[in-house]
Structures are given as structure tokens and as C-alpha cells.
Amino acid sequence: MEKATADFGRAAKPEEMDDFQNMFMSACFEVIAPVPVVEECLSKLAERCRLGIVTNGPEDMAYTKLERLGLSRLFPKETIVISEVVGYHKPDWRIFSAALRLFDAKPEETLFVGDNWEADVAGAIEAGMDAVWINPGKLQPATGHVPLAVVERLEQLADILT
């Protein structure tokens, strides 16, 4: 915010920046709502697979998002690797290694699913995992990495895993 206001020849006071940040975060969280088809898909997958999350960002936001989405029961805190906590951000291979250690899993037995080509797909592949790219916009890959599959929606994942 400091840079943005400076671009317009203005300066924001620290308390104004804090207020803006709080309003922005509140607005972001207001639009996060459960998506029944996603919860159903993940519940079915949880019956067959161990699920976890690797996410960039602050710890408190990760937990708040899961609660707002109604997914906390599927992803307890001990199954979540958060960049702020481990000190590495996707696509750094070390955050994926932290997840593998957490689950006591080998890269070749792990499937990473994500919607960001660079952070999720390329990062996971670089860490030795297979990856599935959720690509609703039918974007083109930014690198030569080859995912196991590309889907438009999460619920299509079940077809790949059968």
C-alpha cells in the first residue's frame, strides 16, 4: 500500500495501511464459501488416499480459509505445510520435501494437485512428484514439465485415480 500511494504522490499513515489491510482481508474472507461438489470429491478421496495441503502464505489465513470452506475436518492442522511456518515458498522443492517428511512418503508415491503451473505443477515435478494441473482457463504450460494429467475441475480427479 505504501508503494501504491507513493505512485500517486501520496503517503498513507501506518494506521491507514493497517485499516486498509484489515478491510481487504475481511472482504476476501467474506467471499470464501463452501462448494459442496468440492467437499464431496475430497471426502471420497479421503476414503482412499491421505490428503494434505502445501500452501504459500500466512498460517492464520490458511486455517481460516479451510474453516470458511468447511474443509477443516478433512485437513487437520497436522496435514498442512505452510510456507510461513517452514520458511520456503512454492515452487521451492524444500517445501515439497517438508510435506513428504510430514507424511513419511516418497516422491514417487505422491500426487500433487494444484491450479498454479509454476508453484504447484512445476514445483512438485521438480521435487520428484507426479502432478495434476487444475486448469479451468485452458492456459498453456509455462515450462516443459509434463504433468500426469490436466483437468478443468477438481471433481475430475477421481476419474484419474481409478
Side-chain angles (χ1 to χ4, degrees):
M1 173 135 181
E2 192 172 357
K3 285 182 177 182
T5 55
D7 286 347
F8 292 97
R10 297 182 173 261
K13 297 175 186 166
E15 60 272 9
E16 292 171 325
M17 289 188 279
D18 288 344
D19 287 346
F20 176 83
Q21 179 66 21
N22 290 334
M23 288 187 313
F24 176 76
M25 294 309 302
S26 178
C28 287
F29 285 130
E30 283 178 23
V31 298
I32 297 173
V35 179
V37 69
V38 169
E39 194 276 333
E40 181 182 337
C41 174
L42 290 171
S43 292
K44 287 180 182 175
L45 288 172
E47 293 172 6
R48 303 178 8 206
C49 309
R50 291 189 303 166
L51 302 180
I53 293 177
V54 177
T55 186
N56 287 344
E59 184 176 17
D60 59 339
M61 285 181 62
Y63 300 135
T64 302
K65 286 178 189 177
L66 283 172
E67 288 173 25
R68 296 281 311 209
L69 290 168
L71 299 174
S72 295
R73 69 175 180 79
L74 294 172
F75 298 100
K77 289 183 178 183
E78 60 272 8
T79 65
I80 304 170
V81 177
I82 302 170
S83 61
E84 180 182 70
V85 175
V86 298
Y88 306 107
H89 292 77
K90 295 183 296 179
D92 190 312
W93 64 270
R94 293 173 289 189
I95 194 167
F96 296 99
S97 291
L100 292 169
R101 283 191 305 277
L102 177 70
F103 280 93
D104 193 26
K106 297 179 179 141
E108 60 273 9
E109 1 176 271
T110 305
L111 179 64
F112 196 89
V113 180
D115 64 353
N116 182 287
W117 179 265
E118 179 77 22
D120 299 323
V121 178
I125 291 171
E126 287 294 320
M129 301 177 193
D130 277 331
V132 171
W133 186 21
I134 300 174
N135 182 14
K138 298 182 181 178
L139 303 173
Q140 293 301 308
T143 64
H145 295 89
V146 179
L148 177 70
V150 179
V151 297
E152 290 182 29
R153 298 178 322 278
L154 178 68
E155 54 270 25
Q156 294 171 302
L157 188 60
D159 296 334
I160 294 167
L161 298 177
T162 54

